[in-house]
Amino acid sequence: MSKMTVLAARQPAAIGSQVLIQGWVRTRRDSKGGFSFIEINDGSCMANLQIIADADLENYESEITRLTAGCSISVSGEIKESGGKQATEILAAKVEIHGWADPDEYPLQKKRHSFEKLREWAHLRPRTNTFGAVARVRNRICKSIHDFYQDRGFLYVHTPIITASDCEGAGEMFRVSTLDPANAPRNDEGGIDYTQDFFDRPSFLTVSGQLEAEIYATALGNVYTFGPTFRAENSNTSRHLAEFWMVEPEMAFCDLDGNMDLAEAFLKQIFSDVLEDCAEDMAFFNQHIDDTVLETLQGIVKSEFTRLSYSEAVDILIASEQKFDHQVEWGCDLQSEHERYLTEQHFSGPVILYDYPCTIKPFYMRVNDDGKTVRAMDVLVPKVGEIIGGSQREERLDVLEDRMRQQDLDPAEYWWYTDLRKYGTVPHAGFGLGLERTVQFVTGMQNIRDVIPFPRTPGSAEF
Ligand code: ATP
Ligand code: MN
């Protein structure tokens, strides 16, 4: 008897096979004719498989009639054509119970729980329809990410998680140290002496793999890195996590237009893969979470992203005469309310903004001839806002060093980064896509804490 997933057992092709199905009971009810209907789910798809358990089974009275939501079972029997809504069902020859779930204690009974409540049960929430669907869609997106770059010949590089450089130059990093905080060695100025720390210098969890990806891109051409990223920003929003996953392609001999083309093709590939391979889960999100997600994704796959400069966007925002909490003027960082106006009201779709003021962007972005803007780009989408941030990198050594000094960074500390411009420098570009914001956008889930298995946010790191 071969093991089969619920997904496979639900296909008409399975009819007639003798199989073993293993999973967790969702519901059980008696039927008058002397048998029970049990719905079993094993996570392979959203839908359950119906089990017909006849009263003849030896453990029918003693065990099967006592099954409730959450119990784990193995069922062997034949897949039959079903007369009901589903195509198939299994006629049980044997039902073996592995673990009971006391209905008086098991929290996931029929009653619906809020997502807030389910966050307190992060160890049980993947057993719900919503979190099962999120996990499957997230998995499919990760496959798309690798497929997209591998198919284009990009090399997957692993950039370090522990780093001594601050890519954004913005602080907001988690320190990595083995010093005893209560008894740390001091230097002559009275500060903590990190030369005695594990790495002989201050070190942190990475906020981006970009700088290291540039090292590989300027040797091997097109590369990407995909891994966990950490930001100690104390922003309690529905779009920020302290630990999130980011995919960062970096391309040698590429300018900002090539970068925008790649970002657009990349997002469209992810969306069309999910629409094609996660149809059942996406139908669920469209029905229960956000009734616009299917239409939105289908529309995006077929249309062109709007591309406009930061300056043009500022003009539109000013001309809109909207009452924003933050007044817009040239030079300001755009807030989520502005991004949402552009993507939701004005353009009704994704927008790529480029050429931002140099004063609000990091040192590594290429300075435009106007001297005031840099070759930055952000991809904005309705509801979620910024999903991608990227740029063409500054490949000119003198300009790069000037920009570092302007931002109070010491070029000597980035000696290896400036070396890339000293020896065989090339125009190059790349971006970072936040995985969780992508899952949020695709599924319509409102809170980023519900699209990562174990969210880390200020004050919260249980499980
Ligand atoms: P934001 O302005 O929204 O805080 P950012 O400009 O700091 O984002 P980047 O440094 O450009 O973000 O990072 C690239 C991408 O990583 C973003 O476009 C977003 O998708 C994702 N990202 C950034 N910060 C977070 C976070 N704290 N939690 C989840 N995803 C994030
Ligand atoms: Mn950004």
Side-chain angles (χ1 to χ4, degrees):
M1 183 143 325
S2 61
K3 172 154 176 171
M4 193 178 257
T5 60
V6 167
L7 176 65
R10 285 178 54 85
Q11 312 306 316
I15 291 169
S17 30
Q18 299 287 334
V19 298
L20 168 70
I21 305 279
Q22 301 184 297
W24 293 266
V25 171
R26 281 296 174 82
T27 60
R28 188 200 62 84
R29 62 191 167 84
D30 297 319
S31 170
K32 283 195 207 85
F35 54 89
S36 283
F37 291 118
I38 307 164
E39 295 271 329
I40 186 173
N41 187 282
D42 67 356
S44 58
C45 59
M46 162 91 42
N48 306 324
L49 182 68
Q50 177 160 277
I51 304 164
I52 312 291
D54 201 88
D56 295 346
L57 292 164
E58 49 134 351
N59 59 344
Y60 188 78
E61 284 303 329
S62 60
E63 293 189 322
I64 292 174
T65 55
R66 290 168 47 219
L67 286 173
T68 50
C71 296
S72 50
I73 59 173
S74 288
V75 186
S76 36
E78 186 178 326
I79 304 291
K80 303 267 193 194
E81 188 174 346
S82 169
K85 262 190 265 164
Q86 19 196 316
T88 66
E89 59 193 25
I90 181 169
L91 179 61
K94 189 174 167 202
V95 178
E96 186 188 344
I97 289 91
H98 300 278
W100 298 96
D102 184 343
D104 294 331
E105 289 180 18
Y106 185 56
L108 303 180
Q109 301 297 331
K110 272 232 130 166
K111 172 178 176 304
R112 262 185 200 283
H113 297 287
S114 68
F115 292 146
E116 287 78 13
K117 190 76 213 165
L118 287 171
R119 273 173 228 146
E120 295 171 21
W121 296 324
H123 62 309
L124 297 175
R125 68 179 185 169
R127 300 177 182 206
T128 64
N129 284 338
T130 304
F131 289 89
V134 167
R136 284 185 295 270
V137 169
R138 185 180 165 111
N139 171 69
R140 185 61 189 87
I141 291 174
C142 292
K143 177 166 163 23
S144 273
I145 289 170
H146 285 295
D147 287 351
F148 180 84
Y149 291 110
Q150 294 291 333
D151 289 350
R152 283 171 172 69
F154 281 59
L155 196 84
Y156 179 30
V157 292
H158 297 108
T159 50
I161 293 198
I162 300 174
T163 169
S165 60
D166 175 355
C167 177
E168 302 291 318
E172 295 185 342
M173 300 181 86
F174 289 102
R175 186 179 292 282
V176 175
S177 172
T178 52
L179 296 176
D180 175 2
N183 204 4
R186 298 279 162 179
N187 55 28
D188 293 344
E189 290 89 56
I192 292 175
D193 182 7
Y194 288 107
T195 65
Q196 296 187 50
D197 202 347
F198 191 92
F199 297 108
D200 299 350
R201 75 205 68 197
S203 29
F204 307 89
L205 295 179
T206 186
V207 294
S208 160
Q210 179 202 319
L211 303 191
E212 291 91 351
E214 285 185 56
I215 294 177
Y216 271 72
T218 53
L220 301 168
N222 293 342
V223 304
Y224 70 107
T225 171
F226 181 25
T229 309
F230 306 86
R231 307 235 172 136
E233 49 199 350
N234 204 357
S235 42
N236 247 313
T237 77
S238 59
R239 307 176 308 119
H240 288 91
L241 291 163
E243 176 179 314
F244 64 98
W245 283 64
M246 185 150 67
V247 49
E248 295 174 275
E250 190 70 36
M251 295 163 286
F253 306 102
C254 182
D255 61 12
L256 194 69
D257 287 324
N259 208 21
M260 291 195 257
D261 291 344
L262 189 85
E264 181 167 343
F266 180 35
L267 288 173
K268 286 177 173 172
Q269 183 71 55
I270 290 174
F271 300 157
S272 65
D273 285 348
V274 171
L275 286 170
E276 188 162 323
D277 286 352
C278 302
E280 184 191 31
D281 292 322
M282 288 306 300
F284 174 87
F285 289 119
N286 205 67
Q287 189 177 348
H288 296 284
I289 304 294
D290 177 343
D291 65 7
T292 64
V293 284
L294 281 179
E295 198 189 330
T296 302
L297 296 179
Q298 285 156 353
I300 290 176
V301 169
K302 281 185 277 175
S303 57
E304 308 258 287
F305 291 13
T306 303
R307 300 183 186 188
L308 81 163
S309 70
Y310 166 91
S311 300
E312 292 169 291
V314 165
D315 289 344
I316 289 172
L317 290 165
I318 291 172
S320 76
E321 293 183 356
Q322 293 276 308
K323 274 221 166 68
F324 293 119
D325 291 341
H326 298 86
Q327 194 77 20
V328 182
E329 56 177 359
W330 198 94
C332 76
D333 211 351
L334 297 184
Q335 306 291 321
S336 125
E337 56 179 340
H338 310 130
E339 299 176 348
R340 293 190 66 158
Y341 176 80
L342 292 170
T343 55
E344 292 168 26
Q345 320 263 332
H346 196 84
F347 291 109
S348 307
V351 176
I352 309 182
L353 292 189
Y354 58 88
D355 287 352
Y356 281 74
C358 58
T359 45
I360 57 171
K361 290 293 181 186
F363 68 89
Y364 52 73
M365 298 189 176
R366 193 179 198 279
V367 180
N368 278 311
D369 291 344
D370 64 10
K372 292 190 310 201
T373 58
V374 288
R375 301 247 76 190
M377 65 170 212
D378 277 2
V379 181
L380 315 176
V381 293
K383 294 178 188 171
V384 173
E386 182 190 328
I387 195 165
I388 283 179
S391 63
Q392 183 173 337
R393 320 305 187 190
E394 184 55 76
E395 85 282 15
R396 298 162 295 186
L397 180 63
D398 52 333
V399 184
L400 181 69
E401 289 184 336
D402 279 349
R403 286 273 288 152
M404 286 180 168
R405 284 187 214 97
Q406 278 165 23
Q407 302 199 351
D408 291 327
L409 298 169
D410 180 3
E413 278 187 34
Y414 290 83
W415 63 274
W416 50 269
Y417 191 69
T418 51
D419 266 8
L420 305 180
R421 280 71 181 166
K422 248 188 239 166
Y423 311 124
T425 193
V426 289
H428 61 291
F431 61 79
L433 169 75
L435 174 64
E436 287 73 19
R437 293 212 186 149
T438 309
V439 181
Q440 261 191 293
F441 181 65
V442 165
T443 59
M445 293 292 287
Q446 272 173 19
N447 199 306
I448 199 164
R449 292 167 178 81
D450 299 329
V451 297
I452 187 167
F454 305 102
R456 269 85 185 93
T457 51
S460 153
E462 217 182 340
F463 304 100

